[in-house]
Amino acid sequence: MSHKAGFVNIIGNPNVGKSTLMNAFVGEKLSIITSKAQTTRHRILGIVNGDDFQVILSDTPGIIKPAYELQSSMMDFVKSAFDDADVLVYMVEIGEKALKDERFFEKIKNSPIPVLLLLNKIDVSQQGILEEQVQYWQEQLPKAEIHPISALQNFNVKEVFLRIIELLPEAPAYYPKDQLTDKPERFFVNETIREKILQFYKKEIPYAVEIETEEFFEDEKIIRMRAVIMVERETQKGIIIGHKGAALKRVGVEARKDLEKFFDKQVHLELYVKVNKNWRSNPNQLKRFGYNN
């Protein structure tokens, strides 16, 4: 039996539904999803295995023009997505006209590999507008295949996935067949806590935060974790903790619920808050947190 395998990299502007699509393909919640832009900071691989295929999906940060060092590192993850892709998935939403960085758009236009343009969020659009959008993107990217989808409602997602498999080259599996992702367990602890901060805090707070899981001990019945929430200023530390620690407790409770679902085991989670001044602009700190690699 022939076997297909390859890398499928998902790119697009912030908040177009890349992480929702990735999770729908994989069938697990690997990428965090919120209504805020720039939710994804890293390049996250999700691996889908079948008897005769292995699809290695890559969720990347939304394309922006970087304003500080962390954002530059995030865009480096996007650049790397062009280097090893066997299929490129360019995701847009209804009403969108271009990427926020023209250089990336030119790369897509001139890509020698297959490009699937997924027109997302059609569940909140009218038929006439959808037809106009399809025509617009056919003119912009004549070599791309256009597929209207709703990642949130799972509309046309299976059909796109089957088309991806068709486009993959014949190759052996790159990863063990029981592997779901390339990220370690602590990464998903960090991301789950960060998701709650994105949901519960406003303005600059979520973007000034990084999480580091310092302890992760698993035995037969329970996983014990200790994580530190890094902020850039003392005032942010106070906001994260909240009055009498209520805000921090809420983050811990909600993160623990999600982690127990993810690991299918009881979780004990301790959270602390520390000030790490200007970590987003410090190359050494960014390297420590897995950026600038």
Side-chain angles (χ1 to χ4, degrees):
M1 184 189 294
S2 65
H3 187 278
K4 291 191 163 193
F7 291 82
V8 180
N9 300 339
I10 308 168
I11 62 171
N13 284 328
N15 241 20
V16 295
K18 297 184 299 298
S19 297
T20 305
L21 180 72
M22 163 91 153
N23 293 341
F25 279 154
V26 177
E28 292 279 349
K29 189 177 176 188
L30 297 183
S31 295
I32 64 176
I33 303 165
T34 78
S35 59
K36 292 187 170 73
Q38 298 173 45
T39 300
T40 302
R41 284 179 176 172
H42 294 264
R43 187 179 173 192
I44 303 165
L45 295 191
I47 304 163
V48 186
N49 292 293
D51 291 337
D52 58 351
F53 70 84
Q54 183 176 81
V55 181
I56 304 150
L57 297 149
S58 174
D59 183 18
T60 57
I63 292 171
I64 53 173
K65 288 191 174 177
Y68 45 83
E69 195 71 27
L70 170 62
Q71 291 183 340
S72 295
S73 180
M74 287 161 60
M75 291 308 97
D76 287 341
F77 289 130
V78 179
K79 288 173 192 169
S80 70
F82 285 92
D83 296 336
D84 59 13
D86 294 294
V87 177
L88 203 57
V89 172
Y90 174 32
M91 202 160 179
V92 300
E93 64 180 20
I94 297 290
E96 198 175 316
K97 293 294 183 185
L99 278 171
K100 294 191 175 175
D101 189 321
E102 188 63 33
R103 290 170 301 168
F104 284 115
F105 190 75
E106 287 301 313
K107 275 192 166 189
I108 295 168
K109 195 179 282 188
N110 299 313
S111 172
I113 61 171
V115 176
L116 301 184
L117 187 143
L118 304 189
L119 189 52
N120 192 28
K121 305 184 183 179
I122 64 167
D123 50 310
V124 293
S125 176
Q126 297 173 340
Q127 184 64 28
I129 295 172
L130 174 59
E131 289 170 4
E132 287 174 12
Q133 289 281 287
V134 169
Q135 185 178 348
Y136 172 81
W137 286 110
Q138 282 173 339
E139 292 167 2
Q140 295 296 311
L141 294 170
K143 291 195 292 183
E145 285 185 28
I146 299 175
H147 297 265
I149 69 161
S150 170
L152 190 62
Q153 302 298 329
N154 228 14
F155 175 77
N156 223 17
V157 169
K158 183 181 178 183
E159 290 77 6
V160 169
F161 188 76
L162 292 173
R163 179 60 182 142
I164 285 169
I165 294 172
E166 287 177 0
L167 292 168
L168 289 181
E170 289 197 6
Y174 290 92
Y175 292 90
K177 283 282 192 160
D178 60 352
Q179 190 167 336
L180 184 68
T181 181
D182 65 326
K183 297 296 184 189
E185 292 168 325
R186 291 183 189 220
F187 176 84
F188 295 102
V189 177
N190 298 346
E191 288 291 271
T192 300
I193 296 165
R194 195 166 66 83
E195 179 183 50
K196 300 309 166 192
I197 291 169
L198 278 155
Q199 289 172 351
F200 299 151
Y201 297 87
K202 296 177 182 177
K203 297 180 180 176
E204 178 64 12
I205 293 293
Y207 302 103
V209 162
E210 185 60 54
I211 317 297
E212 188 170 44
T213 298
E214 293 187 331
E215 291 183 4
F216 187 101
F217 297 118
E218 183 172 5
D219 60 32
E220 203 173 317
K221 294 184 178 178
I222 192 168
I223 308 174
R224 301 183 187 278
M225 311 169 184
R226 186 175 75 192
V228 176
I229 300 170
M230 305 278 186
V231 293
E232 291 193 309
R233 298 193 298 274
E234 285 290 342
T235 51
Q236 294 167 345
K237 180 178 178 180
I239 293 169
I240 290 284
I241 294 170
H243 182 61
K244 294 185 177 179
L248 183 62
K249 184 178 179 183
R250 184 188 184 193
V251 169
V253 168
E254 295 302 319
R256 180 180 53 77
K257 288 178 187 174
D258 281 8
L259 288 167
E260 286 182 337
K261 286 180 193 169
F262 186 81
F263 291 109
D264 196 23
K265 190 176 275 193
Q266 188 180 345
V267 165
H268 175 78
L269 175 64
E270 292 180 38
L271 289 180
Y272 299 88
V273 187
K274 289 183 181 177
V275 177
N276 186 341
K277 287 186 178 177
N278 300 319
W279 68 265
R280 286 183 294 178
S281 302
N282 184 323
N284 290 331
Q285 291 300 315
L286 289 170
K287 192 168 185 180
R288 170 187 167 188
F289 295 135
Y291 308 99
N292 284 0
N293 286 343

